[in-house]
């Protein structure tokens, strides 16, 4: 960890972005994890780097706890939001001791460009994309409810789809836009 990375964490560590990526760039397909912040100039800054054997919950815990251990003056309870793909779970926050102070958010790009299109297939492009994006980007609880009802109306014939959308609806802390407003 460089001094610049440490300074970024200390100054801008209340919101973190964590993901594994770049498997395709190394021979053994090991995932790279480089947790980031966004600074006061709206620039992305890496706060640590790790190559892991695989993407796992233990890997997320290892990367974040190692970063916190390398910067003992950083108070991890100051973290308010962690954006990640939907692989990372609350169990990582619990192991880090920040589940009471930090909110784990499914990042919008992964949800709308990978997760939902993969699950819903052709239904995503034909009927659900606009409705689900409205739900995820909502500014109020009323908009959240309205978009949920519209999405359910599109898939009411498919119990598997209804269950999946309901799972998202039942977790506004992780998915809804209005929580961030």
């Amino acid at each position: 960890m460089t001094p610049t990375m440490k300074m970024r964490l200390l100054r801008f560590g209340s919101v973190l972005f964590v993901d594994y990526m770049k498997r395709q760039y190394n021979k053994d397909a090991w995932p790279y994890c480089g947790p980031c912040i966004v600074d006061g100039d709206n620039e992305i800054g890496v706060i640590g780097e790790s190559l892991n054997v695989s993407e796992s919950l233990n890997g997320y815990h290892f990367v974040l706890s190692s970063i916190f251990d390398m910067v003992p003056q950083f108070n991890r309870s100051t973290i308010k939001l962690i954006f990640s793909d939907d692989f990372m779970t609350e169990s990582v926050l619990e192991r880090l001791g920040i589940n009471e102070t930090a909110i784990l958010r499914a990042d919008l790009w992964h949800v709308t460009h990978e997760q939902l299109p993969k699950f819903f297939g052709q239904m995503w492009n034909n009927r659900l994309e606009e409705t689900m994006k409205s739900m995820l980007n909502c500014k109020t609880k009323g908009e959240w409810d309205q978009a949920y009802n519209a999405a359910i109306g599109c898939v009411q014939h498919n119990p598997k789809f209804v269950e999946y959308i309901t799972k998202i609806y039942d977790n506004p802390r992780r998915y809804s836009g209005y929580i961030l407003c």
Side-chain angles (χ1 to χ4, degrees):
M1 175 179 259
T2 67
T4 299
M5 291 175 178
K6 290 179 182 180
M7 181 272 308
R8 287 176 183 149
L9 177 64
L10 290 168
R11 290 189 64 203
F12 305 105
S14 62
V15 179
L16 303 179
F17 301 85
V18 185
D19 189 22
Y20 278 89
M21 57 194 157
K22 299 190 179 189
R23 287 180 187 88
Q24 69 274 23
Y25 295 116
N26 63 77
K27 183 177 83 165
D28 296 315
W30 288 6
Y32 163 85
C33 186
C36 296
I37 54 84
V38 174
D39 68 17
D41 294 324
N42 210 25
E43 297 287 327
I44 295 169
V46 176
I47 59 169
E49 296 181 290
S50 177
L51 260 182
N52 293 44
V53 175
S54 66
E55 181 175 8
S56 67
L57 296 177
N58 285 337
Y60 280 108
H61 177 263
F62 169 77
V63 170
L64 291 171
S65 64
S66 296
I67 288 170
F68 301 153
D69 289 348
M70 287 185 257
V71 189
Q73 63 271 41
F74 178 71
N75 180 354
R76 61 180 78 183
S77 69
T78 62
I79 300 169
K80 301 300 175 214
L81 290 167
I82 297 178
F83 289 89
S84 183
D85 61 14
D86 226 13
F87 183 85
M88 188 172 163
T89 66
E90 290 282 335
S91 67
V92 176
L93 274 60
E94 290 168 12
R95 289 178 62 196
L96 292 168
I98 59 173
N99 57 309
E100 297 295 322
T101 56
I103 296 173
L104 179 61
R105 296 285 302 184
D107 78 73
L108 194 59
W109 192 93
H110 280 96
V111 171
T112 60
H113 287 84
E114 292 180 359
Q115 180 181 329
L116 296 177
K118 180 179 178 182
F119 186 81
F120 292 111
Q122 197 58 34
M123 177 67 83
W124 176 251
N125 294 327
N126 291 344
R127 299 186 65 200
L128 275 177
E129 183 174 10
E130 185 178 327
T131 304
M132 289 301 294
K133 283 183 178 180
S134 293
M135 187 173 163
L136 298 168
N137 288 309
C138 68
K139 301 276 190 261
T140 67
K141 171 81 164 71
E143 289 176 7
W144 173 253
D145 294 339
Q146 185 178 4
Y148 166 73
N149 289 327
I152 292 298
C154 291
V155 299
Q156 61 189 352
H157 63 281
N158 188 323
K160 183 173 85 170
F161 288 176
V162 169
E163 180 181 348
Y164 196 80
I165 293 170
T166 301
K167 181 186 126 209
I168 291 171
Y169 177 78
D170 288 343
N171 197 348
R173 184 174 155 105
R174 187 169 179 103
Y175 296 101
S176 75
Y178 79 86
I179 293 293
L180 300 176
C181 292

